[in-house]
């Protein structure tokens, strides 16, 4: 699956939000920048680049991962879902809950929060407060929307 | 109804009209292309009519309202258009909101996000825009039907003949309103008639946010645009000399690398910037640029002292006594009163430098040509940015446009314009459009930081535990945080307050609720200690002081309304059931007035596994008329969490002129598990002109937190960050 063009470039085949994509980038390029710079999928955000804020959270094979720490060469054909792939019209239950609770302030962290929450709820449809805190604690919200995030997650859990 | 001067005239309308139809619209195209405005039951108009700088009405009745001010998460993009829609009297469901570009002539309103001022300063202009629009639609219908305006009513997007059967939608008559003379006076609604103001409305950009649409500056893209990153000196007090330019330029994916100089002669307050000379690296991919930054070999030269945190502490202590006094106040004879007081309490409070750390790092797009500049991105002060770019590049402001994207947090950092100026300088040098991106490390190590502070408070009580003397002295790098005319000025017979200057070469600036965030924490925990020493309930103790300020004020003036201040304390007292015995709950209270709004808070703390934890926060707020309860509650909750977070965990230390903290690996921000479980917000209901909420929720949280911590742990908290700083009383004696 590698077709080296120059010593620093390779072609990678990716499956993103159900679509096949091909990119030609350095193998160590983090998925965050592949999504943002190469594929114009800018919903996934850059916050720290060192796995400390969660703004860049995507799903790799259904698991929440920090895309700033995931080199494109490590994706190895596994399917990726980004915030853009969650739903067509903001109607994923987690997005709906986010809108009903009116969670965002600036909104910058919210794609990462939502992707992390979706992965949590997929694994554990009815998390306790403690489980919510543990699962979400890697996602910083500088605006301090934590209480509403918790409310939104609990709302999805209650409806499930 | 009262008549109010519109400040519009025929000429200003024409100006508005041209701007709306021309320059401004170009800017909007990218920002609105993400989602077509879909409104249930309303078709997308094929014709739009410009009513004024704020309002565009489509032939189907859909109304576009331009929100004038930058949106940094304070939710003005919802609340400001709500005010326009209220006076225009159009159903909120018919409204789409777009971000307006910089055009203060058209908006008749200062377009900035600072000092929690958007709603306060915009209140008249926004109502006027709606009311004149409504009036012009009425006039158009009156002409059309050949009746008097007084025979018609305009509400909910429809004009109706009072004694007839005719009615017409705003969309159908809008074309006829275009070009009508703008009335010089218009009636405005009475607060009791509001239908939209004072309701709960969701964020107008909510669905774009939760679906990851390109809204933010960092998401902006233009065909043919280059990406740029910068490298600034590693320490305050250093300057770039040269670097391995040819090596960097040869790296794969790198197009160019050079040094830019953004020194502005005659800088404005918003030009704070310790590093006007920077290395710029240009390429097409952010990752390649980040790698090139790592490969830089730079010769830096030291041009001024390389400061460190120990030096800062010593300087604060020294200048508290020796520094130049700026603002001050004195009532009565404090020295004498302290000398004869039965009890004297003196305490010092400190707080370190802090970074803003907006989640979206600094960035800006610039497209500079020979004599024009187009700037797009996240700024709290578009006008200041336009002026600085004009000064640096010698391009007249008329030839500069600024469009605002949604902003991933401001907190004051984006009041300063260096990143936009840098983008413009890079674009000029390159001769093509460019988007400048800061890495988190760039963002954190090159800030306009919250200054570090030291304040000393002293209180004298007489035999009967009356507060007879009070002193507040504060120094900071570069300036202290004392507000001499704020509470308890006016409430204490013998009073002195001094704001003292010092110095540093570290760049500092406004940080959410500048100075108030620290002062509220220090003063409110000090008053708690004084109330305790006086054997009084902390709320009653404060209420007594407000009574004094109201009934028999000391001195000529003071900067607060004692009744409203007392009002929020009384409200929070009632709502929280203050004074009731609640086993296992340790309570702290604080109240603060800043940025024209009053907030009081009670913190309920519990001990869990031996650790203090905020369980619930009760907030009472008086900001006059509340525009949008949903947004108001959200921002107050955010302010409380922000206040707790920064008081508990955050600090920026310096070594050899460099910030020790470079990313969230060591710089701590509050996280999910550290946030309170619940924050309940109550508002004082009145008809007072509305004031802002972006900042006022934060300051009292620091005091209420410290006071609850004392109840929970038996220990007073004087030094931030509370979680790690040594809480011993510090010796501020010199020598
Ligand atoms: S950007 Fe990946 S965790 Fe912060
Ligand atoms: S909403 Fe602003 S960072 Fe979370």
């Amino acid at each position: 699956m590698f077709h080296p063009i120059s010593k620093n470039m390779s072609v990678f085949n990716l499956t993103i939000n159900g679509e096949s994509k091909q990119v030609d980038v350095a193998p160590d390029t983090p998925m965050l920048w592949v999504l943002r710079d190469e594929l114009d999928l800018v919903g996934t955000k850059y916050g720290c680049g060192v796995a400390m804020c969660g703004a860049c959270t995507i799903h790799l094979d259904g698991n929440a991962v920090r895309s700033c720490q995931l080199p494109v060469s490590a994706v190895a054909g596994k399917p990726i879902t980004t915030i853009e792939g969650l739903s067509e019209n903001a109607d994923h239950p987690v997005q709906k809950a986010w809108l009903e609770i009116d969670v965002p302030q600036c909104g910058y962290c919210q794609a990462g929060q939502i992707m992390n929450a979706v992965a949590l709820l997929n694994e554990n449809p009815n998390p306790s407060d403690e489980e919510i805190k543990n699962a979400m604690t890697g996602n910083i919200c500088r605006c301090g929307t934590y209480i509403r995030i918790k409310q939104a997650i609990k709302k999805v859990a209650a409806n499930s | 109804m009262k008549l109010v001067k519109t400040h519009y005239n025929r000429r200003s309308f024409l100006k508005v009209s041209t701007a709306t139809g021309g320059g401004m619209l170009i800017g909007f195209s990218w920002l609105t292309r993400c989602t077509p405005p879909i409104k249930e039951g309303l078709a997308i108009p094929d014709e739009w009519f410009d009513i004024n700088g704020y309002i565009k009405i489509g032939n189907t009745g859909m109304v576009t309202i331009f929100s004038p001010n930058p949106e940094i998460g304070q939710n003005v993009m919802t609340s400001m258009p709500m005010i326009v829609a209220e006076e225009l009297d159009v159903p909120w469901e018919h409204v789409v909101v777009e971000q307006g570009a910089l055009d203060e002539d058209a908006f008749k309103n200062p377009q900035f996000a600072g000092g929690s001022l958007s709603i306060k300063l915009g209140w008249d202009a926004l109502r006027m825009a709606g009311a004149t629009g409504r009036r012009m639609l009425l006039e158009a219908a009156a002409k059309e039907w050949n009746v008097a305006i007084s025979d018609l009513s305009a509400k909910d997007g429809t004009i109706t003949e009072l004694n007839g059967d005719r009615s017409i939608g705003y969309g159908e008559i809008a074309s006829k309103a275009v070009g009508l003379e703008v009335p010089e006076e218009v009636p405005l609604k009475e607060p009791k008639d509001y239908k939209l103001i004072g309701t709960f409305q969701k964020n107008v950009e909510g669905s774009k946010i939760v679906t990851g649409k390109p809204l933010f500056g960092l998401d902006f893209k233009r065909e043919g645009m280059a990406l740029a990153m910068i490298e600034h000196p590693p320490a305050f007090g250093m300057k770039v000399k040269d670097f391995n330019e040819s090596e960097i330029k040869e790296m794969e994916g790198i197009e160019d690398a050079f040094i830019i100089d953004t020194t502005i002669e005659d800088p404005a307050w918003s030009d704070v910037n310790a590093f006007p000379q920077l290395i710029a690296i240009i390429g097409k991919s952010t990752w390649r640029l980040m790698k090139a930054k790592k490969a830089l070999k730079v010769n830096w030269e030291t041009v001024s002292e390389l400061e460190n945190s120990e030096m800062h502490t010593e300087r604060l202590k020294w200048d508290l006594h020796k520094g130049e006094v700026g603002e001050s106040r004195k009532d009565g004879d404090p020295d004498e009163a302290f000398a004869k007081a039965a009890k004297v309490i003196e305490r010092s409070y400190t707080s370190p430098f802090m970074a803003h750390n907006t989640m979206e790092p600094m960035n800006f797009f610039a497209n500079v040509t020979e004599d024009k500049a187009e700037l797009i991105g996240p700024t709290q002060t578009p006008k200041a940015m336009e002026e600085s770019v004009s000064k640096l590049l010698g391009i007249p402001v008329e030839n500069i446009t600024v469009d605002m994207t949604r902003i991933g947090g401001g907190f004051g950092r984006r009041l300063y314009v260096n990143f936009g100026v840098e983008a413009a300088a890079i674009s000029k040098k390159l001769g093509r459009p460019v988007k400048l991106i800061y890495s988190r490390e760039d963002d954190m190590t090159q800030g306009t930081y919250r200054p570090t502070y030291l304040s000393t408070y002293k209180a004298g009580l007489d035999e009967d535990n009356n507060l007879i003397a009070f002193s507040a002295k504060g120094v900071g790098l570069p300036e202290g945080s004392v507000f001499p005319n704020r509470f308890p000025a006016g409430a204490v017979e013998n009073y002195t307050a001094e704001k003292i200057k010092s110095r540093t070469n570290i760049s500092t600036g406004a940080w959410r609720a500048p100075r108030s965030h620290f002062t509220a924490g220090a003063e409110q925990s000090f008053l708690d200690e004084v109330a305790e020493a006086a054997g009084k309930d902390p709320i009653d103790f404060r209420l007594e002081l407000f009574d004094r300020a109201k009934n028999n004020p000391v001195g000529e003036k003071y900067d607060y309304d004692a009744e409203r201040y007392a009002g929020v304390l009384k409200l929070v007292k009632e709502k929280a059931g203050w004074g009731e015995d609640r086993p296992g709950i340790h309570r702290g209270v604080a109240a603060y007035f800043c940025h024209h709004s009053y907030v009081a808070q009670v913190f309920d703390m519990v001990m869990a596994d031996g650790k203090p934890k905020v369980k619930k926060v009760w907030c009472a707020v008086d900001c006059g008329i509340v525009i949008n309860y949903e947004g108001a509650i959200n921002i107050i909750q955010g302010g409380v969490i922000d206040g707790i977070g920064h008081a508990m965990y955050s600090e920026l230390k310096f070594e050899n002129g460099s910030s020790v903290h470079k990313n969230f690996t060591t710089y701590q921000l509050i996280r999910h598990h550290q946030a309170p479980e619940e924050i309940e917000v109550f508002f004082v209901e009145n008809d007072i002109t509305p004031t802002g909420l972006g900042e006022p929720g934060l300051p009292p949280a620091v005091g209420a937190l410290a006071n609850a911590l004392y109840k929970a742990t038996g220990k007073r908290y004087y030094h931030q960050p509370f979680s790690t700083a040594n809480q011993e009383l510090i010796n501020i004696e010199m020598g």
Side-chain angles (χ1 to χ4, degrees):
Chain A
M1 135 162 183
F2 292 153
H3 313 281
I5 290 174
S6 79
K7 73 177 187 330
N8 287 322
M9 300 284 275
S10 306
V11 172
F12 295 91
N13 293 307
L14 301 165
T15 309
I16 297 172
N17 302 330
E19 284 178 43
S20 303
K21 301 274 176 188
Q22 207 173 58
V23 293
D24 186 1
V25 292
D28 62 350
T29 310
M31 267 315 295
L32 169 65
W33 299 113
V34 172
L35 293 167
R36 294 188 55 87
D37 287 349
E38 310 296 323
L39 300 171
D40 281 350
L41 291 168
V42 294
T44 306
K45 297 293 189 253
Y46 167 64
C48 68
V50 295
M52 290 304 292
C53 78
C56 66
T57 306
I58 59 170
H59 295 173
L60 180 67
D61 218 2
N63 299 312
V65 296
R66 307 299 188 221
S67 65
C68 68
Q69 295 299 301
L70 175 69
V72 61
S73 57
V75 172
K78 292 192 189 124
I80 284 174
T81 308
T82 69
I83 187 78
E84 291 91 345
L86 218 48
S87 72
E88 285 281 312
N89 304 311
D91 54 5
H92 184 283
V94 174
Q95 288 170 318
K96 274 167 52 185
W98 241 251
L99 291 174
E100 263 168 66
I101 304 287
D102 206 33
V103 175
Q105 284 182 33
C106 83
Y108 192 80
C109 72
Q110 300 296 343
Q113 305 275 5
I114 290 170
M115 293 310 282
N116 212 69
V118 169
L120 162 69
L121 288 160
N122 283 345
E123 209 170 286
N124 179 359
N126 211 344
S128 67
D129 278 25
E130 217 39 47
E131 288 167 330
I132 294 175
K133 276 184 228 162
N134 289 340
M136 297 301 295
T137 217
N139 286 72
I140 295 175
C141 175
R142 174 67 181 83
C143 299
T145 62
Y146 296 129
I147 290 178
R148 285 175 186 244
I149 289 171
K150 187 179 70 186
Q151 284 173 333
I153 294 174
K154 292 183 84 136
K155 188 170 186 93
V156 181
N159 293 343
S160 72
Chain B
M1 277 195 197
K2 53 184 173 221
L3 285 178
V4 183
K5 290 252 179 279
T6 61
H7 306 294
Y8 285 105
N9 55 40
R10 178 93 192 130
R11 268 187 45 149
S12 64
F13 169 71
L14 288 173
K15 208 166 167 190
V16 171
S17 179
T18 340
T20 317
M24 285 173 73
L25 287 173
I26 295 164
F28 295 137
S29 55
W30 173 79
L31 298 163
T32 50
R33 97 177 157 196
C34 345
T35 342
I38 295 166
K39 288 271 148 187
E40 267 171 53
L42 268 193
I44 295 178
D46 42 35
E47 265 188 292
W48 285 99
F49 307 102
D50 297 328
I51 304 299
N52 58 39
Y54 285 90
I55 303 166
K56 206 166 71 166
I57 300 182
N59 59 346
T60 62
M62 194 183 284
V63 175
T64 297
I65 299 180
F66 294 102
S67 183
N69 285 16
E71 173 59 66
I72 53 177
Q74 81 284 46
N75 210 11
V76 289
M77 200 167 167
T78 305
S79 55
M80 294 184 97
M82 279 173 74
I83 299 171
V84 178
E86 176 72 65
E87 291 289 348
L88 182 61
D89 215 319
V90 63
W92 188 236
E93 301 70 48
H94 293 187
V95 174
V96 284
V97 175
E98 289 183 24
Q99 176 69 56
L102 176 63
D103 190 345
E104 292 191 349
D105 281 347
F107 286 114
K108 310 204 172 308
N109 182 55
Q111 290 177 273
F112 73 95
S116 299
L117 284 167
S118 292
I119 293 295
K120 181 175 186 284
L121 296 183
W123 179 237
D124 283 343
L126 295 159
R127 287 186 301 159
M128 225 66 84
T132 51
R134 180 172 168 279
R135 174 77 186 188
M136 286 161 70
L137 293 165
L138 274 168
E139 216 177 295
K143 265 201 190 133
E144 189 73 1
W145 293 335
N146 208 6
V147 295
I149 290 182
S150 55
D151 293 335
L152 303 175
S153 86
K155 63 173 203 237
D156 298 329
T158 305
I159 293 171
T160 317
E161 205 176 358
L162 291 172
N163 299 311
D165 327 314
R166 284 183 289 193
S167 74
I168 189 166
Y170 284 5
E172 299 162 274
I173 194 73
S175 67
K176 304 268 167 49
V178 175
L180 284 184
E181 194 135 343
V182 180
E184 274 178 25
E185 264 182 353
V186 284
L188 293 176
K189 287 184 180 176
E190 293 293 340
K192 66 174 173 40
D193 298 321
Y194 289 155
K195 291 179 283 190
L196 184 57
I197 289 176
T199 57
F200 283 74
Q201 298 299 334
K202 312 269 185 230
N203 190 323
V204 292
E205 292 207 300
S207 51
K208 291 182 190 169
I209 292 169
V210 304
T211 50
K213 293 290 181 293
L215 291 172
F216 298 92
L218 213 56
D219 305 340
F220 182 82
K221 189 163 187 177
R222 167 81 56 84
E223 247 2 273
M225 160 187 104
L227 297 180
M229 294 191 87
I230 46 114
E231 184 78 11
H232 63 74
F236 289 87
M238 282 190 174
K239 200 178 149 193
V240 58
K241 229 164 117 183
D242 52 42
F243 70 105
N244 54 338
E245 193 179 321
S246 51
E247 244 169 82
I248 296 296
K249 281 186 186 165
E250 267 162 35
M251 288 180 72
E252 193 158 345
I254 300 304
E255 294 171 21
D256 210 343
F258 44 78
I259 291 174
I260 54 163
D261 189 345
T262 62
T263 309
I264 292 173
E265 281 168 35
D266 168 30
W269 65 268
S270 48
D271 287 318
V272 173
N273 182 7
F275 305 124
Q277 288 94 11
L278 301 157
I279 299 167
I281 311 176
I282 318 299
K284 267 209 262 323
S285 110
T286 316
W287 183 241
R288 295 284 190 192
L289 291 171
M290 286 179 164
K291 284 182 147 182
K293 268 165 69 69
K294 290 217 174 81
L296 277 168
K297 293 188 197 105
V298 190
N299 289 310
W300 308 106
E301 64 185 309
T302 302
V303 289
S304 64
E305 190 174 27
L306 304 183
E307 301 179 0
N308 61 50
S309 294
E310 291 70 42
M311 190 187 273
H312 291 151
T313 307
E314 286 313 306
R315 198 179 286 169
L316 285 172
K317 288 190 197 173
W318 179 265
D319 280 338
L320 184 68
H321 299 279
K322 295 281 180 191
E324 185 197 334
V325 177
E327 260 176 274
S328 68
R329 171 176 177 136
K330 191 168 172 185
D331 297 309
D333 189 340
D335 286 345
E336 196 197 303
F338 279 120
K340 69 167 198 229
K343 257 182 238 166
V344 173
I345 305 155
E346 184 168 13
R347 297 288 182 261
S348 295
Y349 299 82
T350 62
S351 185
F353 281 104
M354 292 193 301
H356 290 87
N357 285 325
T358 62
M359 278 314 281
E360 179 190 17
M362 296 307 114
N363 65 84
F364 230 81
F365 169 86
N367 181 16
V368 178
T369 54
E370 198 51 37
D371 59 347
K372 283 200 180 69
E374 178 193 10
L375 304 165
I376 300 173
T379 172
Q380 294 178 246
T381 46
K383 182 129 191 85
M385 184 177 286
E386 181 181 78
E387 280 161 8
S388 295
V389 168
S390 166
K391 279 189 210 166
L392 180 73
L393 302 182
I395 298 174
V397 285
E398 305 81 71
N399 292 358
I400 302 177
T401 59
V402 188
D403 276 284
M404 290 159 273
T405 57
R406 190 174 182 84
I407 303 175
F411 313 107
R413 175 64 186 89
R414 290 182 160 108
L415 294 167
Y416 305 93
V417 300
N418 60 300
F419 44 89
V421 173
E422 288 156 14
I426 295 169
S427 171
K428 166 100 183 174
K429 175 127 186 175
L430 271 183
R432 53 190 271 227
V434 71
K435 181 171 74 182
L436 169 66
I437 301 167
Y438 278 27
S439 68
R440 172 57 59 195
E441 290 80 3
D442 296 331
D443 191 277
M444 201 180 289
T445 57
Q446 181 269 33
T448 44
Y449 302 117
R450 200 296 299 266
T452 175
Y453 293 122
L454 162 63
S455 284
T456 295
Y457 287 84
K458 197 166 143 186
L461 297 169
D462 69 9
E463 317 261 272
D464 302 322
N465 287 315
N466 296 308
L467 181 62
I468 54 164
F470 190 91
S471 144
K473 261 178 99 162
V475 65
L477 306 184
E479 197 182 30
S481 88
V482 169
F483 297 89
N485 293 318
R486 286 193 183 173
F487 184 74
V492 191
E493 202 65 52
N494 303 289
Y495 172 95
T496 161
E498 291 179 348
K499 176 168 145 183
I500 301 161
K501 294 178 186 165
S502 184
R503 70 193 157 83
T504 178
N505 65 2
I506 288 159
S507 46
T508 61
W511 189 104
R512 193 178 196 176
R515 305 197 300 286
S516 299
H517 49 230
F518 173 67
T519 297
E523 169 207 294
Q524 290 292 303
S525 45
F526 181 65
L527 286 176
D528 204 70
E529 210 168 331
V530 176
E532 190 184 37
K536 294 180 185 171
D537 172 84
I539 294 185
D540 294 342
F541 176 68
R542 287 171 174 82
L543 292 177
E544 270 173 32
L545 293 171
F546 288 125
D547 273 347
R548 171 73 208 261
K550 200 183 134 208
N551 300 325
N552 181 20
V554 180
E556 281 179 8
K557 61 172 175 107
Y558 53 82
D559 286 351
Y560 56 93
D561 179 324
E563 202 162 324
R564 292 179 77 187
Y565 223 139
V568 286
L569 265 172
K570 288 178 187 161
L571 181 63
V572 85
K573 182 179 177 179
E574 173 208 321
K575 295 294 182 186
W578 179 263
E580 289 165 21
D581 193 27
R582 305 205 174 179
I585 304 278
H586 311 283
R587 299 189 126 177
V589 64
Y592 204 68
F593 166 65
C594 64
H595 301 90
H596 312 279
S597 296
Y598 299 79
V599 181
Q601 294 168 5
V602 167
F603 273 43
D604 288 359
M605 198 172 269
V606 293
M607 292 300 284
D609 307 324
K611 280 197 201 135
K613 163 103 194 108
V614 186
K615 197 170 162 61
K616 172 156 186 178
V617 177
W618 309 78
C619 289
V621 179
D622 181 354
C623 59
I625 294 167
V626 178
I627 311 301
N628 176 15
Y629 276 96
E630 189 78 80
I633 293 170
N634 200 346
I635 196 78
I636 289 289
Q637 291 172 330
V640 170
I641 292 175
D642 199 4
I644 298 172
H646 282 89
M648 282 298 287
Y649 309 110
S650 305
E651 83 177 308
L652 198 72
K653 279 199 172 142
F654 287 89
E655 233 172 72
N656 295 323
S658 297
S659 155
V660 172
H661 310 271
K662 304 196 189 317
N663 204 323
F664 301 132
T665 32
T666 58
Y667 193 100
Q668 279 200 67
L669 288 174
I670 191 168
R671 289 172 180 272
H672 275 271
H673 65 285
Q674 295 157 328
E677 273 164 38
E678 192 188 347
I679 301 175
E680 201 172 355
V681 187
F682 305 91
F683 293 89
V684 174
E685 282 180 31
N686 57 39
D687 287 347
I688 298 171
T689 298
T691 48
L693 292 173
E695 288 155 297
L698 188 155
V702 184
L705 171 71
N707 298 338
L709 275 170
Y710 169 64
K711 290 286 181 190
T713 66
K715 206 162 104 180
R716 288 279 176 192
Y717 284 77
Y718 303 104
H719 308 296
Q720 296 178 21
F722 294 155
S723 67
T724 52
N726 180 352
Q727 296 301 329
E728 295 309 305
L729 292 177
I730 64 160
N731 173 18
I732 50 137
E733 298 306 314
M734 280 191 300

